Each structure stands twice: as C-alpha cells, then as structure tokens.
Amino acid sequence: PAAVRDPRVLRVDDLKLAAHLSADHLMVADGPVLLRPYPLERWAGPLDGMVSELVVACLRRASAFAEVKTNADAGSEDLQLSGTLVEFHHDRSAGQVRVRMVLRL
C-alpha cells in the first residue's frame, strides 16, 4: 500500500441522488437517447448508500489520507467531501457490460 501522503482526516458525507435517478430500480441505456428502468430488477439497498460505501472504501484503500470517516464515525476532520450522484446506469450501447457513473463532488 502507498504511504500516507496527506496526514489529514477526511470525512465523506452521504452522497445525494440527483432527482431524475431511481433509488430503487436499475436503469439501462439502450442507446444514446433511451434511458429506462429495468421493470423487475431492483437494487439490493439504497443506491446512494451503496455508492457512498464504495467511495469510502476506495478512498481508504488508496491510503491518501491519515483516516477516512463517514458521518457515523465520531471525531473531527480536516476536510469534508460531499457530492451528488448525477448518473448511474447500465450502458448497453457499446455491446458490452458497462456501467456509467457520474459524481459531482
């Protein structure tokens, strides 16, 4: 693992979902202009929560900060990261299994 390059503590706020995203249904893009929900498939949990957990896990694994905290963790922080999940869907337009995710941080 990389050595800690920044001795500061980062707190990651829970990410918000953009209003047009579905918190329940998986979305699929069948081309450049068609985005629709899968009718019978749902997320295992809230989408914003799952992506927030992924962001925290990746930041911790990167070892770029002395500590990465969530809103549930006690103590103070030097930096705070917040953001919105703007886009998240299965992209079938390239003929491959790909996910498109856009975060505004």
Side-chain angles (χ1 to χ4, degrees):
V4 173
R5 294 182 296 275
D6 190 335
R8 293 184 270 186
V9 175
L10 173 69
R11 182 173 306 276
V12 179
D13 289 336
D14 295 332
L15 296 174
K16 308 289 186 252
L17 281 184
H20 66 277
L21 289 179
S22 171
D24 296 330
H25 288 89
L26 283 77
M27 302 294 286
V28 61
D30 281 325
V33 294
L34 179 60
L35 184 65
R36 62 183 176 77
Y38 278 116
L40 301 175
E41 297 184 29
R42 294 184 175 268
W43 295 113
L47 178 59
D48 49 351
M50 291 190 300
V51 174
S52 294
E53 289 176 16
L54 176 66
V55 169
V56 169
C58 290
L59 287 168
R60 285 177 177 162
R61 194 174 14 222
S63 300
F65 298 94
E67 187 176 359
V68 177
K69 296 181 174 186
T70 66
N71 283 338
D73 296 323
S76 62
E77 68 277 345
D78 302 306
L79 301 167
Q80 191 168 359
L81 179 68
S82 61
T84 303
L85 184 58
V86 178
E87 200 171 324
F88 194 98
H89 62 266
H90 176 193
D91 183 359
R92 296 196 309 197
S93 61
Q96 304 173 19
V97 176
R98 293 196 303 191
V99 171
R100 178 168 172 81
M101 179 172 71
V102 177
L103 294 170
R104 183 173 295 134
L105 303 172

